[in-house]
Amino acid sequence: MNEKITIPNHIGIIVDGNGRWAEQRGLSRSAGHRAGFTRLKNICLYAERLGLKYLSLYVFSTENFKRKKVEVDFLMNLFVEVFKKEFQELMDHHVKVVFSGRREPLPYNVLKVMDEISEKTKNNTSTVLNFCLNYGSQAEILDMTRNIAKQVLDGSLSIDDITLDTIHNNLYQDLPPLDLVIRTSGELRLSNFMLYQASYAEFYFPNIYFPDFMENDFWDAIVEFNRRNRRFGGNQS
Ligand code: IPE
Ligand code: IPE
Ligand code: MG
């Protein structure tokens, strides 16, 4: 019997294990990041083929700026290269690209390519790819709080009118809640990824470094998601 598999509405991937994948092979961490991004592109195309509506990809955290400058610089250049090179294919598949994160202290060339790709894909109607780049959930909550406080101070919002919608509207992007969060590499933590949006997400932690994370592994995560019984605080259905 073929069970009907439901594709979740919003999946998040914490892209992890590029460095260990490379070290295991005697390669540089840069080679691991490059392999990770090639894989990520294929996973994005697969998600689009499956008809996934929203895919959030954690590719660089606010805390990742603590890494050695040579690794940070490599990653920044890789973002520029990848977004330039893959742009046409994203367009061909009608994928919409948005970014979550702080602009400061991203270099100008990265911000430029981010702005270009979001502007050019903004009317696309297929999968929304939300790249979390220089993203931290705590920073997002702090920025949201400051925005709301400003509106209260300038009189455009009264405290009694602050609702969950106000919070939603002041986050970096207008996205539905996460249904499924996948973290590769075997680590069992969120590392500051979409804490608010993941309130009722299901979690899946495959023991695979991201450059080895294949389409069938992504599918396995979706199948496992279908086995979960989500209750949202209500009674067992
Ligand atoms: C994930 O791989 C990519 C980024 C954080 C940019 P890592 O670089 O964290 O790989 P590991 O965890 O060291 O193996
Ligand atoms: C989380 O991975 C951030 C991204 C995947 C972009 P890290 O490798 O930075 O997380 P920790 O340091 O293991 O928690
Ligand atoms: Mg890591």
Side-chain angles (χ1 to χ4, degrees), residues 75-86:
L75 279 164
M76 293 299 146
N77 289 327
L78 187 63
F79 296 144
V80 174
E81 183 191 314
V82 165
F83 285 123
K84 280 194 175 151
K85 204 169 82 189
E86 306 307 342

Side-chain angles (χ1 to χ4, degrees), residues 14-16 58-61 64 67 183 187 189 191:
I14 302 173
V15 173
D16 198 19
Y58 200 16
V59 294
F60 194 90
S61 71
N64 286 148
R67 294 190 182 193
R183 180 176 187 147
E187 305 297 356
R189 54 178 174 262
S191 302

Side-chain angles (χ1 to χ4, degrees), residues 8 34 39 45-46 50 55 57 63 75 83 85 98 113 127 151 193 211 216:
R34 202 170 267 292
R39 198 83 288 282
L45 292 175
Y46 180 62
L50 291 176
L55 181 61
L57 302 157
E63 290 75 27
L75 279 164
F83 285 123
K85 204 169 82 189
V98 299
V113 78
T127 311
Q151 294 161 48
F193 177 63
N216 65 296

Side-chain angles (χ1 to χ4, degrees), residues 76 79-80 83 99 101-119 133-134:
M76 293 299 146
F79 296 144
V80 174
F83 285 123
F99 291 91
R102 281 191 176 161
R103 292 175 72 86
E104 282 282 310
L106 289 173
Y108 174 74
N109 61 341
V110 175
L111 291 170
K112 187 160 169 267
V113 78
M114 284 165 59
D115 289 345
E116 278 169 7
I117 204 154
S118 22
E119 176 60 28
L133 201 167
N134 191 26

Side-chain angles (χ1 to χ4, degrees), residues 36-46 86 89:
F37 265 84
T38 303
R39 198 83 288 282
L40 190 59
K41 175 198 157 175
N42 289 309
I43 291 291
C44 290
L45 292 175
Y46 180 62
E86 306 307 342
E89 194 156 4

